[in-house]
Amino acid sequence: MKTNTEEENMESESKRQKLLHDSSSSPLLTIDNPLLPLASYADDDDEEEDYQERREENGYEGKKHGKDGQIVESDEDDEDDREERWNQGRGKRQVEVRRDCPYLDTVNRQVLDFDFEKCCSVSLKNINVYACLVCGKYYQGRGRKSHAYTHSLEAGHHVYINLQTEKVYCLPDGYEISDPSLDDIRHVLYPRFSREQVVHLDKNKQWSRALDGSDYLPGMVGLNNIKETDFVNVTIQSLMRVTPLRNFFLIPENYQNCKSPLVHRFGELTRKIWHARNFKGQVSPHEFLQAVMKASKKRFRIGAQSDPVEFISWLLNTLHADLKKKNRSIIYKCFQGELEVVKEIHNKSSIEKKDNGDDLTNGAVSEETSIMPFLMLGLDLPPPPLFKDVMEKNIIPQVPLFNILKKFDGESVTEVVRPCIARMRYRITKLPQYLILHMRRFTKNNFFVEKNPTLVNFPVKNLELKDYIPLPTPKENEKLRSKYDLIANIVHDGKPGEGSYRVFVQRKSEELWYEMQDLHVAETLPQMVALSETYMQIYEQQQ
């Protein structure tokens, strides 16, 4: 004997099958259930174009299946014709807009997550995608044969937002919902900043509250580690402290004509990190990582640890190339400096052989001087001692930052072997607004990667470069700005080729320091910043 529940389930299933059959064969929908109305509605233009693309891609135009399953050519197909006629008619109809919707109380903000790629969970297509505001899943389209429409019938979920237009619809009814209570969802989908808000961002000391009741600081939110992507996370967190760069990407109008997906994904990630009305206290860089994988041709990818120094170099150069106008961009404005490079090369004709076979140089040396732009300066660490001290413990070598900065005093000689053996001298001729320093901590040979454990002693505030290296004379009516403050310090923990990265960053509004490692965010003391194996730093020029 069947229970009442089983009978009800069978009855609802037969109604659903009948409804699906009717929707696929008739341009006008007639449904017994009074809660599922009956007006036809116009779909987005994108959906119609995508529907036609899908049909052409799958070879449905002008074809049908014979009795034996073979595809046979056909000039007419009744079902296709009916749907085509319906498609042609729907564009002329207006979508009804309602302020009230009986299903708004089913919206569940706890499950909404807009940090992932905007693809349909069924078709995996990324055109005309809607998010179900009840369960959070993504579905393509809202026409009668669309995945969102089917989901609304099967699951009884009725409220959907178009992930591109931000319009909200009730399905399967088909009307648009205009209700201010949904604005917070639109703000999470696409965070917005006015220019006035951007200007005052660093003065804001207020904490924000996530839906789960936890507090977070806008701009200081954790980033998900999507399988060994900590090298990306520390780079992003560091660049978020560069005020002009951040402010540029918070206003999409600044790069609206740029066609680079990487630029737009970086902008979206920047706005999400600094947004004060997030539903969660963390952000996932998933969409940005997808753009990175594509733009770098999988040089940097999810699941493979990489070097943040290589990554930031690639990222800044790629963003500059995508944004540049007359070879200028926000990247060069923030980070570009200039070096005078003097290259000493011993001419081959000047090398003679002694009787014992050793080389003898007769003193003829050629010098080449050139001006070279830079976005980052590489500093060489002294080799660590080979022996232990009397207590049989390893000596932890230390070096002041000023010692290794002497590489750029114009007099110190650096030996290089590539592309040819030469002696190089470097001198800074133009200081950037933001100075990126990279400690060459890893060396590679034919067998393994070796890590130099030398600690670098550096000031967190008031790094005065002119006391240690000669600097260019400022132009008339200009002041030499040679004093810098640290704003980000990336460190590496663990063995070379393994290990992990974390970063210390400063919050300007209160001049507090925070340690960040993926989702971990904790306040720390300024003196703790210099007690680790620093790998890369960003200094801000004092104005």
Side-chain angles (χ1 to χ4, degrees), residues 107-137:
V107 172
N108 184 0
R109 288 164 173 79
Q110 299 276 3
V111 300
L112 300 182
D113 190 342
F114 300 124
D115 289 348
F116 293 92
E117 199 171 4
K118 311 290 193 291
C119 288
C120 173
S121 58
V122 180
S123 69
L124 303 182
K125 292 285 186 71
N126 61 359
I127 299 173
N128 198 40
V129 179
Y130 291 76
C132 173
L133 297 185
V134 182
C135 66
K137 291 182 180 177

Side-chain angles (χ1 to χ4, degrees), residues 151-308:
H151 178 70
S152 72
L153 298 174
E154 291 182 342
H157 297 171
H158 300 294
V159 190
Y160 297 79
I161 186 169
N162 185 299
L163 295 178
Q164 188 164 8
T165 66
E166 303 178 51
K167 291 182 178 180
V168 180
Y169 297 91
C170 179
L171 296 183
D173 309 33
Y175 60 84
E176 182 183 340
I177 305 169
S178 174
D179 192 301
S181 68
L182 299 169
D183 286 348
D184 63 330
I185 295 175
R186 294 188 178 97
H187 273 276
V188 172
L189 175 58
Y190 288 114
R192 296 160 174 80
F193 292 84
S194 68
R195 295 189 183 273
E196 186 180 1
Q197 284 176 316
V198 169
V199 169
H200 295 100
L201 209 54
D202 286 329
K203 296 175 184 175
N204 177 35
K205 298 182 181 181
Q206 285 187 328
W207 289 66
S208 294
R209 176 153 291 184
L211 288 180
D212 62 2
S214 61
D215 293 329
Y216 70 92
L217 283 167
M220 309 297 294
V221 297
L223 296 176
N224 289 90
N225 185 342
I226 309 173
K227 207 174 178 187
E228 297 188 66
T229 54
D230 51 330
F231 73 97
V232 173
N233 291 350
V234 292
T235 303
I236 294 300
Q237 297 287 19
S238 301
L239 291 176
M240 290 299 103
R241 313 309 133 197
V242 180
T243 306
L245 183 75
R246 177 203 68 188
N247 292 356
F248 176 87
F249 279 100
L250 286 176
I251 307 292
E253 288 77 15
N254 290 333
Y255 46 93
Q256 62 185 0
N257 296 324
C258 178
K259 295 182 180 179
S260 164
L262 183 71
V263 168
H264 291 280
R265 293 290 175 264
F266 185 78
E268 285 176 14
L269 183 58
T270 302
R271 293 193 295 279
K272 286 177 180 178
I273 288 173
W274 285 94
H275 193 221
R277 296 165 63 182
N278 284 328
F279 290 162
K280 302 174 299 175
Q282 73 262 3
V283 172
S284 173
H286 189 268
E287 281 191 285
F288 173 70
L289 284 164
Q290 295 282 5
V292 166
M293 285 172 63
K294 189 171 182 181
S296 69
K297 298 177 180 174
K298 295 194 176 179
R299 176 182 169 189
F300 304 103
R301 63 185 189 275
I302 296 170
Q305 182 68 276
S306 290
D307 189 323

Side-chain angles (χ1 to χ4, degrees), residues 12 50 120 136 143 185 208 238 240 256 374 385 393 397 414 450 474 486 493-494 504 514 521 537:
S12 65
D50 184 53
C120 173
I185 295 175
S208 294
S238 301
M240 290 299 103
Q256 62 185 0
F374 70 86
K393 291 181 180 178
T414 304
E450 193 173 7
L486 186 70
D493 301 311
F504 295 93
Y514 286 82
V521 180
Q537 301 176 318

